[in-house]
Amino acid sequence: MISQFPYDYMHLVCLGVTRKLLGLWIKEPVQNRCRVGRNVINSISEDLLKYWKFLPFEFTRKYRSLAEMDRWKATEFRQFLLYSGPVVLKNKLPADKYENFLDISVAIYCLSIPFYSTTHCQYAHELLCTFVKDFGKIYSEEMLVYNVHGLSHLADDVAHFGPLDNFSAFPFENFLGKFKSMIRKPNSPIQQIIRRLNETQNFQPVTVKKTDTDKQNGIPKYTHEDGPLPEIIGDFFQFKKFTYRNMKFTATCGDNCVKVGSNVGLIRNILTRKPCNETLVLFEAFNSVTSFFQNPLSSSDLDIYKVSKLSGNFDIAPISEILTKYVMLPYKKNKFVIIPLIHQYNTP
Protein backbone atom coordinates (compact mmCIF):
# COMPACT_ATOMS: atom_id res chain seq x y z
CA MET A 1 0.00 0.00 0.00
CA ILE A 2 2.73 2.48 0.92
CA SER A 3 4.98 1.93 -2.08
CA GLN A 4 2.22 1.53 -4.70
CA PHE A 5 0.30 4.76 -3.97
CA PRO A 6 2.70 7.62 -4.83
CA TYR A 7 2.25 11.28 -3.94
CA ASP A 8 0.75 13.43 -6.68
CA TYR A 9 3.10 16.36 -7.15
CA MET A 10 0.43 18.53 -8.76
CA HIS A 11 -1.37 18.74 -5.41
CA LEU A 12 1.55 18.12 -3.06
CA VAL A 13 4.05 20.55 -4.60
CA CYS A 14 2.30 22.95 -6.98
CA LEU A 15 -1.05 23.51 -5.25
CA GLY A 16 0.45 22.62 -1.88
CA VAL A 17 3.92 23.80 -0.93
CA THR A 18 4.44 26.38 -3.71
CA ARG A 19 1.13 28.06 -2.98
CA LYS A 20 1.85 27.94 0.74
CA LEU A 21 5.20 29.67 0.25
CA LEU A 22 3.61 32.46 -1.77
CA GLY A 23 0.87 32.78 0.84
CA LEU A 24 3.44 33.10 3.63
CA TRP A 25 5.25 35.87 1.75
CA ILE A 26 2.08 37.77 0.83
CA LYS A 27 -0.59 37.17 3.50
CA GLU A 28 1.03 35.94 6.70
CA PRO A 29 0.72 38.38 9.64
CA VAL A 30 3.69 40.72 9.96
CA GLN A 31 4.49 39.59 13.50
CA ASN A 32 5.32 36.08 12.22
CA ARG A 33 8.22 37.56 10.19
CA CYS A 34 7.36 35.50 7.12
CA ARG A 35 5.84 38.28 5.08
CA VAL A 36 7.86 40.39 2.64
CA GLY A 37 7.26 44.07 1.93
CA ARG A 38 4.46 45.33 -0.29
CA ASN A 39 6.95 47.04 -2.59
CA VAL A 40 8.73 43.71 -3.11
CA ILE A 41 5.46 41.95 -3.92
CA ASN A 42 4.54 44.67 -6.42
CA SER A 43 8.00 44.43 -8.00
CA ILE A 44 7.66 40.64 -8.38
CA SER A 45 4.21 41.03 -9.94
CA GLU A 46 5.45 43.65 -12.40
CA ASP A 47 8.28 41.36 -13.51
CA LEU A 48 5.91 38.41 -13.91
CA LEU A 49 3.69 40.45 -16.21
CA LYS A 50 6.73 41.49 -18.26
CA TYR A 51 7.52 37.81 -18.84
CA TRP A 52 4.33 37.31 -20.91
CA LYS A 53 5.95 37.85 -24.29
CA PHE A 54 8.91 35.63 -23.38
CA LEU A 55 6.89 32.48 -22.70
CA PRO A 56 7.03 29.72 -25.34
CA PHE A 57 4.09 28.35 -27.27
CA GLU A 58 4.01 25.24 -25.06
CA PHE A 59 2.85 27.29 -22.05
CA THR A 60 -0.93 27.47 -22.41
CA ARG A 61 -1.30 29.88 -19.49
CA LYS A 62 0.49 33.19 -19.24
CA TYR A 63 1.64 34.74 -15.97
CA ARG A 64 -0.72 36.70 -13.76
CA SER A 65 0.22 39.05 -10.94
CA LEU A 66 0.46 37.89 -7.34
CA ALA A 67 -2.72 39.87 -6.64
CA GLU A 68 -4.55 37.12 -8.55
CA MET A 69 -2.73 34.25 -6.84
CA ASP A 70 -5.95 32.86 -5.31
CA ARG A 71 -7.14 32.14 -8.86
CA TRP A 72 -3.88 30.64 -10.13
CA LYS A 73 -4.09 27.15 -11.60
CA ALA A 74 -1.67 24.32 -10.86
CA THR A 75 0.23 24.94 -14.11
CA GLU A 76 0.86 28.55 -13.04
CA PHE A 77 2.35 27.44 -9.74
CA ARG A 78 4.46 24.91 -11.66
CA GLN A 79 5.71 27.63 -14.02
CA PHE A 80 6.59 29.81 -11.03
CA LEU A 81 8.42 27.02 -9.20
CA LEU A 82 10.46 25.73 -12.14
CA TYR A 83 10.95 28.74 -14.41
CA SER A 84 10.11 32.27 -13.28
CA GLY A 85 10.51 31.92 -9.51
CA PRO A 86 14.29 31.42 -9.38
CA VAL A 87 14.72 34.45 -11.67
CA VAL A 88 12.10 36.87 -10.35
CA LEU A 89 12.88 36.24 -6.66
CA LYS A 90 16.63 36.77 -7.04
CA ASN A 91 17.76 39.77 -4.93
CA LYS A 92 14.15 40.38 -3.81
CA LEU A 93 13.72 37.75 -1.09
CA PRO A 94 16.01 37.59 1.95
CA ALA A 95 18.92 35.23 1.30
CA ASP A 96 17.68 32.45 3.59
CA LYS A 97 14.20 32.41 2.02
CA TYR A 98 15.57 32.51 -1.52
CA GLU A 99 18.03 29.68 -0.90
CA ASN A 100 15.24 27.65 0.71
CA PHE A 101 13.03 28.21 -2.36
CA LEU A 102 15.91 27.30 -4.66
CA ASP A 103 16.31 23.96 -2.86
CA ILE A 104 12.79 22.84 -3.72
CA SER A 105 12.93 24.35 -7.22
CA VAL A 106 16.14 22.48 -8.15
CA ALA A 107 14.93 19.25 -6.53
CA ILE A 108 11.60 19.23 -8.42
CA TYR A 109 13.41 20.20 -11.64
CA CYS A 110 15.69 17.16 -11.25
CA LEU A 111 12.79 14.84 -10.46
CA SER A 112 10.79 16.08 -13.47
CA ILE A 113 13.32 15.20 -16.19
CA PRO A 114 13.92 11.52 -17.06
CA PHE A 115 17.72 11.81 -17.19
CA TYR A 116 18.15 13.78 -13.95
CA SER A 117 15.49 11.72 -12.14
CA THR A 118 17.89 8.79 -12.53
CA THR A 119 21.26 10.46 -11.98
CA HIS A 120 20.19 13.04 -9.37
CA CYS A 121 17.40 11.21 -7.52
CA GLN A 122 19.31 10.79 -4.26
CA TYR A 123 20.63 14.34 -4.50
CA ALA A 124 17.07 15.64 -4.98
CA HIS A 125 15.98 13.65 -1.92
CA GLU A 126 18.70 15.31 0.15
CA LEU A 127 17.69 18.73 -1.15
CA LEU A 128 14.04 18.16 -0.25
CA CYS A 129 15.00 16.99 3.25
CA THR A 130 17.14 20.14 3.62
CA PHE A 131 14.21 22.23 2.40
CA VAL A 132 11.86 20.71 5.00
CA LYS A 133 14.40 21.19 7.79
CA ASP A 134 15.17 24.81 6.88
CA PHE A 135 11.48 25.56 6.22
CA GLY A 136 10.73 24.79 9.87
CA LYS A 137 13.55 27.09 11.02
CA ILE A 138 12.59 30.00 8.75
CA TYR A 139 8.79 29.88 9.00
CA SER A 140 8.40 28.09 12.39
CA GLU A 141 7.72 24.46 13.25
CA GLU A 142 3.97 25.12 13.18
CA MET A 143 4.18 25.53 9.39
CA LEU A 144 5.47 21.98 8.88
CA VAL A 145 2.12 20.67 7.68
CA TYR A 146 1.51 17.32 5.94
CA ASN A 147 2.26 18.67 2.45
CA VAL A 148 5.67 19.93 3.52
CA HIS A 149 6.54 16.67 5.27
CA GLY A 150 5.42 14.69 2.18
CA LEU A 151 8.28 16.18 0.19
CA SER A 152 10.76 13.97 2.02
CA HIS A 153 9.12 10.89 0.44
CA LEU A 154 8.74 12.22 -3.11
CA ALA A 155 12.13 11.02 -4.41
CA ASP A 156 11.29 7.47 -3.28
CA ASP A 157 8.21 7.55 -5.51
CA VAL A 158 10.33 8.78 -8.43
CA ALA A 159 12.76 5.90 -7.84
CA HIS A 160 9.82 3.46 -8.15
CA PHE A 161 7.76 5.07 -10.92
CA GLY A 162 10.08 7.34 -12.90
CA PRO A 163 9.92 11.15 -13.35
CA LEU A 164 7.11 13.08 -11.69
CA ASP A 165 4.94 13.46 -14.79
CA ASN A 166 4.70 9.65 -15.03
CA PHE A 167 2.31 9.65 -12.07
CA SER A 168 1.01 13.21 -11.70
CA ALA A 169 -2.63 14.30 -11.97
CA PHE A 170 -1.91 16.87 -14.69
CA PRO A 171 -3.05 14.67 -17.65
CA PHE A 172 -6.29 13.79 -15.83
CA GLU A 173 -7.00 17.43 -14.93
CA ASN A 174 -6.37 18.45 -18.53
CA PHE A 175 -8.83 15.84 -19.80
CA LEU A 176 -11.57 17.24 -17.54
CA GLY A 177 -11.75 20.19 -19.93
CA LYS A 178 -12.71 17.81 -22.75
CA PHE A 179 -15.37 16.25 -20.55
CA LYS A 180 -16.76 19.69 -19.75
CA SER A 181 -17.07 20.52 -23.45
CA MET A 182 -19.19 17.39 -23.94
CA ILE A 183 -21.85 18.53 -21.48
CA ARG A 184 -24.54 20.75 -23.01
CA LYS A 185 -27.06 20.96 -20.16
CA PRO A 186 -26.96 20.42 -16.39
CA ASN A 187 -29.13 17.28 -16.39
CA SER A 188 -27.69 13.76 -16.79
CA PRO A 189 -24.01 14.69 -17.32
CA ILE A 190 -22.73 11.09 -17.36
CA GLN A 191 -25.21 10.04 -20.04
CA GLN A 192 -24.22 13.07 -22.15
CA ILE A 193 -20.53 12.20 -21.91
CA ILE A 194 -21.20 8.58 -22.92
CA ARG A 195 -23.22 9.72 -25.95
CA ARG A 196 -20.52 12.16 -27.05
CA LEU A 197 -17.83 9.47 -26.69
CA ASN A 198 -19.93 7.05 -28.77
CA GLU A 199 -20.40 9.72 -31.44
CA THR A 200 -16.65 10.31 -31.55
CA GLN A 201 -15.91 6.61 -31.94
CA ASN A 202 -18.49 6.17 -34.71
CA PHE A 203 -17.30 9.22 -36.63
CA GLN A 204 -13.74 8.77 -37.87
CA PRO A 205 -12.79 11.46 -40.39
CA VAL A 206 -10.13 10.72 -42.95
CA THR A 207 -6.86 12.32 -41.87
CA VAL A 208 -3.47 12.47 -43.50
CA LYS A 209 -1.08 10.76 -41.13
CA LYS A 210 2.28 12.39 -40.72
CA THR A 211 5.17 10.11 -41.44
CA ASP A 212 8.15 9.73 -39.14
CA THR A 213 10.19 11.59 -41.77
CA ASP A 214 7.81 14.56 -41.62
CA LYS A 215 8.09 14.70 -37.83
CA GLN A 216 11.87 14.48 -37.99
CA ASN A 217 12.36 17.08 -40.75
CA GLY A 218 9.97 19.62 -39.24
CA ILE A 219 8.21 20.90 -42.34
CA PRO A 220 8.19 24.74 -42.13
CA LYS A 221 5.11 26.93 -42.61
CA TYR A 222 4.20 30.48 -43.68
CA THR A 223 6.65 31.99 -46.11
CA HIS A 224 8.04 35.52 -45.80
CA GLU A 225 10.78 37.65 -47.38
CA ASP A 226 11.93 39.74 -44.42
CA GLY A 227 15.33 38.07 -43.85
CA PRO A 228 18.00 38.02 -42.61
CA LEU A 229 19.80 35.64 -44.99
CA PRO A 230 23.18 33.87 -44.75
CA GLU A 231 26.19 35.29 -46.55
CA ILE A 232 26.80 32.06 -48.46
CA ILE A 233 25.64 32.08 -52.04
CA GLY A 234 22.36 30.31 -52.74
CA ASP A 235 18.66 30.72 -53.18
CA PHE A 236 16.55 30.22 -50.07
CA PHE A 237 12.89 30.03 -49.16
CA GLN A 238 12.17 31.80 -45.86
CA PHE A 239 9.58 30.64 -43.32
CA LYS A 240 8.08 31.88 -40.06
CA LYS A 241 7.87 28.66 -38.03
CA PHE A 242 8.31 24.90 -37.93
CA THR A 243 7.46 22.07 -35.54
CA TYR A 244 10.18 19.63 -34.52
CA ARG A 245 10.05 16.92 -31.84
CA ASN A 246 6.55 18.11 -30.90
CA MET A 247 7.79 21.64 -30.18
CA LYS A 248 7.17 24.88 -32.02
CA PHE A 249 10.10 27.01 -33.17
CA THR A 250 9.97 30.51 -34.66
CA ALA A 251 12.32 33.44 -35.17
CA THR A 252 10.34 35.56 -32.68
CA CYS A 253 10.71 36.03 -28.94
CA GLY A 254 9.53 33.08 -26.85
CA ASP A 255 10.18 30.25 -29.29
CA ASN A 256 13.62 31.07 -30.68
CA CYS A 257 16.12 30.37 -27.88
CA VAL A 258 17.91 27.07 -28.53
CA LYS A 259 21.14 25.16 -28.22
CA VAL A 260 22.61 24.23 -31.59
CA GLY A 261 25.56 21.91 -31.19
CA SER A 262 27.58 23.41 -28.35
CA ASN A 263 26.34 26.99 -28.84
CA VAL A 264 23.41 28.73 -27.18
CA GLY A 265 21.63 31.52 -29.03
CA LEU A 266 18.60 32.71 -30.98
CA ILE A 267 16.98 31.57 -34.21
CA ARG A 268 16.96 34.54 -36.58
CA ASN A 269 15.36 32.90 -39.64
CA ILE A 270 14.02 29.58 -40.89
CA LEU A 271 15.14 28.50 -44.34
CA THR A 272 15.07 25.82 -46.99
CA ARG A 273 17.66 25.84 -49.73
CA LYS A 274 16.46 25.56 -53.32
CA PRO A 275 15.87 22.91 -54.61
CA CYS A 276 16.62 20.89 -51.43
CA ASN A 277 13.75 20.69 -48.91
CA GLU A 278 15.90 20.32 -45.78
CA THR A 279 14.85 22.77 -43.06
CA LEU A 280 17.66 25.01 -41.77
CA VAL A 281 17.93 27.65 -39.07
CA LEU A 282 19.90 30.88 -39.22
CA PHE A 283 21.37 31.12 -35.75
CA GLU A 284 23.05 33.88 -33.69
CA ALA A 285 25.00 32.69 -30.64
CA PHE A 286 25.50 34.41 -27.27
CA ASN A 287 29.11 35.33 -26.47
CA SER A 288 28.59 35.21 -22.69
CA VAL A 289 27.15 31.99 -21.24
CA THR A 290 27.69 31.51 -17.48
CA SER A 291 26.05 29.79 -14.52
CA PHE A 292 23.04 31.60 -13.05
CA PHE A 293 23.52 30.28 -9.49
CA GLN A 294 26.17 28.26 -7.67
CA ASN A 295 24.13 26.88 -4.75
CA PRO A 296 22.81 24.30 -4.10
CA LEU A 297 24.81 23.29 -7.20
CA SER A 298 26.12 25.05 -10.28
CA SER A 299 23.15 25.78 -12.55
CA SER A 300 25.26 24.89 -15.59
CA ASP A 301 25.15 21.26 -14.39
CA LEU A 302 21.41 21.40 -15.18
CA ASP A 303 21.90 23.31 -18.46
CA ILE A 304 20.58 26.54 -16.86
CA TYR A 305 22.57 29.65 -17.80
CA LYS A 306 22.81 33.41 -17.61
CA VAL A 307 23.42 34.75 -21.13
CA SER A 308 24.21 38.09 -22.74
CA LYS A 309 26.06 39.75 -25.63
CA LEU A 310 24.87 38.32 -28.92
CA SER A 311 27.78 37.74 -31.28
CA GLY A 312 26.32 39.56 -34.28
CA ASN A 313 27.43 36.69 -36.52
CA PHE A 314 25.03 34.25 -38.16
CA ASP A 315 25.59 30.53 -38.56
CA ILE A 316 23.41 28.15 -40.52
CA ALA A 317 22.58 24.61 -39.33
CA PRO A 318 20.04 21.86 -40.02
CA ILE A 319 17.30 21.56 -37.41
CA SER A 320 18.58 18.09 -36.54
CA GLU A 321 21.41 19.86 -34.67
CA ILE A 322 18.97 21.59 -32.30
CA LEU A 323 19.55 19.90 -28.95
CA THR A 324 17.51 21.99 -26.52
CA LYS A 325 14.73 24.56 -26.53
CA TYR A 326 14.93 27.11 -23.73
CA VAL A 327 12.61 29.37 -21.80
CA MET A 328 14.42 32.74 -21.91
CA LEU A 329 13.50 35.26 -19.19
CA PRO A 330 14.92 38.77 -18.74
CA TYR A 331 17.13 39.08 -15.67
CA LYS A 332 19.04 42.35 -15.66
CA LYS A 333 19.77 44.96 -18.29
CA ASN A 334 20.68 43.13 -21.50
CA LYS A 335 21.00 39.84 -19.58
CA PHE A 336 18.73 36.79 -19.65
CA VAL A 337 18.35 33.50 -17.81
CA ILE A 338 17.63 30.45 -19.95
CA ILE A 339 16.05 27.27 -18.58
CA PRO A 340 15.46 24.12 -20.66
CA LEU A 341 11.81 23.48 -21.47
CA ILE A 342 10.89 20.39 -19.50
CA HIS A 343 8.18 19.44 -22.03
CA GLN A 344 10.81 18.35 -24.53
CA TYR A 345 12.12 15.59 -22.26
CA ASN A 346 8.68 14.12 -21.55
CA THR A 347 7.51 13.75 -25.18
CA PRO A 348 8.47 11.06 -27.68
PDB file of all heavy atoms in Angstrom, residues 276-288:
ATOM      1  N   CYS A 276      16.683  21.834 -52.550  1.00  0.00           N
ATOM      2  CA  CYS A 276      16.616  20.893 -51.430  1.00  0.00           C
ATOM      3  C   CYS A 276      15.530  21.330 -50.445  1.00  0.00           C
ATOM      4  O   CYS A 276      15.343  22.522 -50.209  1.00  0.00           O
ATOM      5  CB  CYS A 276      17.975  20.822 -50.733  1.00  0.00           C
ATOM      6  SG  CYS A 276      17.991  19.763 -49.282  1.00  0.00           S
ATOM      7  N   ASN A 277      14.832  20.379 -49.842  1.00  0.00           N
ATOM      8  CA  ASN A 277      13.749  20.693 -48.912  1.00  0.00           C
ATOM      9  C   ASN A 277      14.165  20.602 -47.443  1.00  0.00           C
ATOM     10  O   ASN A 277      13.315  20.690 -46.570  1.00  0.00           O
ATOM     11  CB  ASN A 277      12.560  19.751 -49.163  1.00  0.00           C
ATOM     12  CG  ASN A 277      11.882  20.040 -50.485  1.00  0.00           C
ATOM     13  OD1 ASN A 277      11.792  21.192 -50.898  1.00  0.00           O
ATOM     14  ND2 ASN A 277      11.401  18.991 -51.140  1.00  0.00           N
ATOM     15  N   GLU A 278      15.463  20.422 -47.172  1.00  0.00           N
ATOM     16  CA  GLU A 278      15.900  20.322 -45.784  1.00  0.00           C
ATOM     17  C   GLU A 278      15.693  21.636 -45.057  1.00  0.00           C
ATOM     18  O   GLU A 278      16.028  22.709 -45.552  1.00  0.00           O
ATOM     19  CB  GLU A 278      17.383  19.933 -45.729  1.00  0.00           C
ATOM     20  CG  GLU A 278      17.891  19.751 -44.304  1.00  0.00           C
ATOM     21  CD  GLU A 278      19.374  19.437 -44.264  1.00  0.00           C
ATOM     22  OE1 GLU A 278      20.079  19.767 -45.239  1.00  0.00           O
ATOM     23  OE2 GLU A 278      19.827  18.870 -43.253  1.00  0.00           O
ATOM     24  N   THR A 279      15.107  21.570 -43.848  1.00  0.00           N
ATOM     25  CA  THR A 279      14.848  22.773 -43.059  1.00  0.00           C
ATOM     26  C   THR A 279      16.109  23.181 -42.303  1.00  0.00           C
ATOM     27  O   THR A 279      16.748  22.357 -41.637  1.00  0.00           O
ATOM     28  CB  THR A 279      13.701  22.532 -42.063  1.00  0.00           C
ATOM     29  OG1 THR A 279      12.540  22.101 -42.779  1.00  0.00           O
ATOM     30  CG2 THR A 279      13.362  23.809 -41.311  1.00  0.00           C
ATOM     31  N   LEU A 280      16.460  24.468 -42.406  1.00  0.00           N
ATOM     32  CA  LEU A 280      17.662  25.013 -41.774  1.00  0.00           C
ATOM     33  C   LEU A 280      17.281  26.177 -40.876  1.00  0.00           C
ATOM     34  O   LEU A 280      16.229  26.804 -41.051  1.00  0.00           O
ATOM     35  CB  LEU A 280      18.651  25.493 -42.842  1.00  0.00           C
ATOM     36  CG  LEU A 280      19.007  24.519 -43.963  1.00  0.00           C
ATOM     37  CD1 LEU A 280      19.746  25.260 -45.076  1.00  0.00           C
ATOM     38  CD2 LEU A 280      19.859  23.379 -43.430  1.00  0.00           C
ATOM     39  N   VAL A 281      18.132  26.468 -39.910  1.00  0.00           N
ATOM     40  CA  VAL A 281      17.935  27.651 -39.072  1.00  0.00           C
ATOM     41  C   VAL A 281      19.151  28.568 -39.203  1.00  0.00           C
ATOM     42  O   VAL A 281      20.292  28.110 -39.261  1.00  0.00           O
ATOM     43  CB  VAL A 281      17.719  27.287 -37.588  1.00  0.00           C
ATOM     44  CG1 VAL A 281      16.382  26.607 -37.403  1.00  0.00           C
ATOM     45  CG2 VAL A 281      18.844  26.435 -37.030  1.00  0.00           C
ATOM     46  N   LEU A 282      18.861  29.859 -39.289  1.00  0.00           N
ATOM     47  CA  LEU A 282      19.903  30.882 -39.216  1.00  0.00           C
ATOM     48  C   LEU A 282      20.002  31.278 -37.751  1.00  0.00           C
ATOM     49  O   LEU A 282      19.022  31.710 -37.145  1.00  0.00           O
ATOM     50  CB  LEU A 282      19.536  32.080 -40.089  1.00  0.00           C
ATOM     51  CG  LEU A 282      20.661  33.087 -40.353  1.00  0.00           C
ATOM     52  CD1 LEU A 282      21.719  32.459 -41.244  1.00  0.00           C
ATOM     53  CD2 LEU A 282      20.095  34.342 -41.024  1.00  0.00           C
ATOM     54  N   PHE A 283      21.200  31.154 -37.194  1.00  0.00           N
ATOM     55  CA  PHE A 283      21.372  31.119 -35.749  1.00  0.00           C
ATOM     56  C   PHE A 283      22.418  32.133 -35.318  1.00  0.00           C
ATOM     57  O   PHE A 283      23.482  32.247 -35.932  1.00  0.00           O
ATOM     58  CB  PHE A 283      21.793  29.688 -35.379  1.00  0.00           C
ATOM     59  CG  PHE A 283      22.164  29.473 -33.946  1.00  0.00           C
ATOM     60  CD1 PHE A 283      21.190  29.324 -32.987  1.00  0.00           C
ATOM     61  CD2 PHE A 283      23.498  29.373 -33.561  1.00  0.00           C
ATOM     62  CE1 PHE A 283      21.529  29.088 -31.662  1.00  0.00           C
ATOM     63  CE2 PHE A 283      23.852  29.147 -32.255  1.00  0.00           C
ATOM     64  CZ  PHE A 283      22.854  28.993 -31.302  1.00  0.00           C
ATOM     65  N   GLU A 284      22.101  32.922 -34.250  1.00  0.00           N
ATOM     66  CA  GLU A 284      23.047  33.883 -33.687  1.00  0.00           C
ATOM     67  C   GLU A 284      23.355  33.491 -32.244  1.00  0.00           C
ATOM     68  O   GLU A 284      22.447  33.445 -31.400  1.00  0.00           O
ATOM     69  CB  GLU A 284      22.477  35.301 -33.735  1.00  0.00           C
ATOM     70  CG  GLU A 284      23.443  36.360 -33.233  1.00  0.00           C
ATOM     71  CD  GLU A 284      22.860  37.766 -33.304  1.00  0.00           C
ATOM     72  OE1 GLU A 284      21.669  37.908 -33.645  1.00  0.00           O
ATOM     73  OE2 GLU A 284      23.602  38.735 -33.007  1.00  0.00           O
ATOM     74  N   ALA A 285      24.602  33.212 -31.957  1.00  0.00           N
ATOM     75  CA  ALA A 285      24.996  32.693 -30.643  1.00  0.00           C
ATOM     76  C   ALA A 285      25.252  33.823 -29.646  1.00  0.00           C
ATOM     77  O   ALA A 285      25.579  34.956 -30.015  1.00  0.00           O
ATOM     78  CB  ALA A 285      26.249  31.832 -30.780  1.00  0.00           C
ATOM     79  N   PHE A 286      25.105  33.506 -28.354  1.00  0.00           N
ATOM     80  CA  PHE A 286      25.497  34.407 -27.269  1.00  0.00           C
ATOM     81  C   PHE A 286      26.997  34.241 -27.009  1.00  0.00           C
ATOM     82  O   PHE A 286      27.510  33.127 -26.973  1.00  0.00           O
ATOM     83  CB  PHE A 286      24.736  34.089 -25.987  1.00  0.00           C
ATOM     84  CG  PHE A 286      23.290  34.508 -26.000  1.00  0.00           C
ATOM     85  CD1 PHE A 286      22.277  33.573 -26.180  1.00  0.00           C
ATOM     86  CD2 PHE A 286      22.940  35.833 -25.830  1.00  0.00           C
ATOM     87  CE1 PHE A 286      20.956  33.946 -26.183  1.00  0.00           C
ATOM     88  CE2 PHE A 286      21.606  36.225 -25.825  1.00  0.00           C
ATOM     89  CZ  PHE A 286      20.616  35.281 -26.003  1.00  0.00           C
ATOM     90  N   ASN A 287      27.678  35.373 -26.801  1.00  0.00           N
ATOM     91  CA  ASN A 287      29.107  35.332 -26.467  1.00  0.00           C
ATOM     92  C   ASN A 287      29.345  34.993 -25.005  1.00  0.00           C
ATOM     93  O   ASN A 287      30.345  34.371 -24.646  1.00  0.00           O
ATOM     94  CB  ASN A 287      29.773  36.670 -26.797  1.00  0.00           C
ATOM     95  CG  ASN A 287      30.104  36.808 -28.273  1.00  0.00           C
ATOM     96  OD1 ASN A 287      30.277  35.809 -28.966  1.00  0.00           O
ATOM     97  ND2 ASN A 287      30.175  38.036 -28.758  1.00  0.00           N
ATOM     98  N   SER A 288      28.426  35.438 -24.131  1.00  0.00           N
ATOM     99  CA  SER A 288      28.593  35.215 -22.693  1.00  0.00           C
ATOM    100  C   SER A 288      27.558  34.202 -22.211  1.00  0.00           C
ATOM    101  O   SER A 288      26.353  34.466 -22.258  1.00  0.00           O
ATOM    102  CB  SER A 288      28.436  36.535 -21.926  1.00  0.00           C
ATOM    103  OG  SER A 288      28.509  36.320 -20.529  1.00  0.00           O
TER     104      SER A 288
END
